[in-house]
Amino acid sequence: MNSSADVVAGASGGLALTNASERRVVLEATDLRRTFTGGSRLRPTHVSAVDGVSLTLHAGETLGIVGESGCGKSTLARMLVGLEKPDGGSLLYHGTDVTKGRASDRKLLRRGVQMIFQDPYTSLDPRMNVGDIIAEPMAATRSAPAPVRRDRVAELLGLVGLAPDMMSRYPHQFSGGQRQRIGIARALALDPDVLVCDEAVSALDVSVQAQVINLLADLQRRLGVAILFIAHDLSVVRHIADRVGVMYLGRMAELGDTETVYDTPAHPYTQALLSATPSHSRADRGKLSRRRVLGGEPPSPVNPPAGCRFNPRCWLATDECRTSQPPLRSLDLREVACHHAEQALAEAPAL
């Protein structure tokens, strides 16, 4: 069976049509940090879920975020939509710092940046009908009177490929793909300019994944929204993202143009991650012997290693890597956090 990325309509390395550098910046995160405290009062534990992540999102582009489970992708997403408050760093929405600004600025972020959640079976209130679910953001913000809200709900249902007369039904009467379309309609209710998709297709069947991805592509072309797309499926991200960021243990390892990062990865972790992607063609299977095999388990975020957090699993690690944290620096059309990125790039396996 083909992966969902194989059937994305019009996919050619990104949904948007123009170069990201030519568009205005909608969302800009600088050195974002978030630490969670657990354990007991006598033995508290501190987990640095996001540790100094910076990124920009331009109008109308798609930025993909990939990485292993537990690397901080979802925590980053929740900070970008205002569901988690950063412990440090700044988040600018249209140039305004919403982490230190006025309450009215934070309200603008919550209206302009909307999330599409992973599980369509738990993200919709089973006691509310579809019309009320989609209208809830408008009712909560008092952005439209009740008669206008009903017309808007009908418009949004049509926009995501569902019949307007479905608004009286309840979530249990819909399939998983239809429920995710309802979640997308709800996210669009306040006319946002950014959609944050946190594993938005991972709970769906492969064929349904393709339908939802195609829908997002169509909405982006029609509405001009920017999309931050978090996923485990690297093939899907390659087909829909203009740029891609690779996270490891709370930090950004590599960030750049999708084609550059996928074809010539400069960070050893990116190389290993792409090497682990399943290959379907005979030519790709013939390259397996030259691919990077990543050993061991990710270090505990409760007690991360000093220096580069990837150093215990890296074949290029030196004393510098074990003592000094590498900054995110520019290298060949991307940014990479690696002391030995030039060597990694020169020795990169065929992927």
Side-chain angles (χ1 to χ4, degrees):
M1 180 180 291
N2 291 332
S3 71
S4 56
D6 295 328
V7 289
V8 176
S12 57
L15 299 181
L17 302 178
T18 58
N19 192 295
S21 63
E22 299 172 355
R23 307 188 208 106
R24 71 183 187 280
V25 174
V26 180
L27 205 59
E28 181 176 6
T30 303
D31 199 29
L32 279 187
R33 301 174 183 271
R34 184 70 173 97
T35 300
F36 296 97
T37 301
S40 64
R41 292 181 60 185
L42 296 178
R43 294 185 177 180
T45 59
H46 304 282
V47 177
S48 183
V50 175
D51 187 13
V53 169
S54 300
L55 57 84
T56 56
L57 186 62
H58 300 84
E61 79 160 332
T62 298
L63 172 61
I65 301 292
V66 300
E68 293 173 283
S69 296
C71 71
K73 303 187 300 296
S74 292
T75 301
L76 175 63
R78 292 176 63 84
M79 286 193 289
L80 294 180
V81 300
L83 293 177
E84 291 281 355
K85 185 177 180 180
D87 297 323
S90 63
L91 177 62
L92 275 62
Y93 176 62
H94 289 292
T96 299
D97 189 345
V98 297
T99 56
K100 300 178 178 64
R102 299 170 297 178
S104 59
D105 295 330
R106 292 190 290 274
K107 288 182 180 179
L108 287 177
L109 175 75
R110 288 194 290 268
R111 292 189 61 167
V113 183
Q114 291 288 309
M115 180 177 282
I116 301 170
F117 296 92
Q118 176 178 359
D119 190 353
Y121 294 94
T122 59
S123 61
L124 303 180
D125 190 334
R127 297 167 297 181
M128 297 174 66
N129 64 38
V130 168
D132 289 339
I133 288 172
I134 298 175
E136 187 176 23
M138 293 180 280
T141 58
R142 300 179 181 178
S143 58
V148 175
R149 292 200 296 266
R150 183 176 178 84
D151 292 339
R152 176 64 173 156
V153 168
E155 177 188 356
L156 289 168
L157 284 171
L159 195 62
V160 299
L162 297 176
D165 60 9
M166 291 181 173
M167 70 175 69
S168 61
R169 300 183 187 178
Y170 288 82
H172 73 270
Q173 296 175 281
F174 294 89
S175 66
Q178 289 175 321
R179 293 186 195 197
Q180 198 61 297
R181 289 172 184 264
I182 294 167
I184 294 172
R186 177 179 59 187
L188 294 172
L190 297 178
D191 292 317
D193 47 18
V194 178
L195 293 177
V196 176
C197 303
D198 186 12
E199 300 279 4
V201 299
S202 63
L204 305 175
D205 293 338
V206 171
S207 60
V208 180
Q209 286 183 16
Q211 295 171 17
V212 173
I213 292 168
N214 285 334
L215 172 62
L216 290 172
D218 180 62
L219 291 172
Q220 186 174 58
R221 283 190 292 267
R222 296 172 63 178
L223 305 177
V225 294
I227 296 176
L228 184 87
F229 192 89
I230 295 172
H232 279 95
D233 192 329
L234 298 179
S235 60
V236 171
V237 173
R238 178 167 195 166
H239 279 263
I240 72 170
D242 299 292
R243 293 185 297 127
V244 62
V246 181
M247 288 187 65
Y248 184 80
L249 212 61
R251 294 178 180 166
M252 194 68 74
E254 191 164 356
L255 175 64
D257 173 77
T258 300
E259 184 177 355
T260 300
V261 172
Y262 273 75
D263 290 345
T264 57
H267 196 287
Y269 175 64
T270 309
Q271 294 178 5
L273 198 64
L274 292 172
S275 291
T277 304
S279 299
H280 301 288
S281 71
R282 181 176 300 176
D284 285 342
R285 288 196 296 269
K287 300 174 184 176
L288 285 175
S289 62
R290 301 192 297 274
R291 292 188 171 190
R292 301 295 189 193
V293 178
L294 187 60
E297 297 292 330
S300 170
V302 176
N303 186 29
C308 175
R309 292 188 172 181
F310 186 61
N311 82 79
R313 308 170 78 187
C314 182
W315 52 91
L316 296 178
T318 62
D319 289 341
E320 181 183 21
C321 304
R322 288 182 276 271
T323 58
S324 173
Q325 177 183 336
L328 199 64
R329 58 189 176 91
S330 298
L331 176 66
D332 292 348
L333 303 178
R334 101 286 303 284
E335 294 177 290
V336 58
C338 178
H339 292 304
H340 308 297
E342 289 82 1
Q343 181 182 352
L345 190 59
E347 300 176 0
L351 295 174

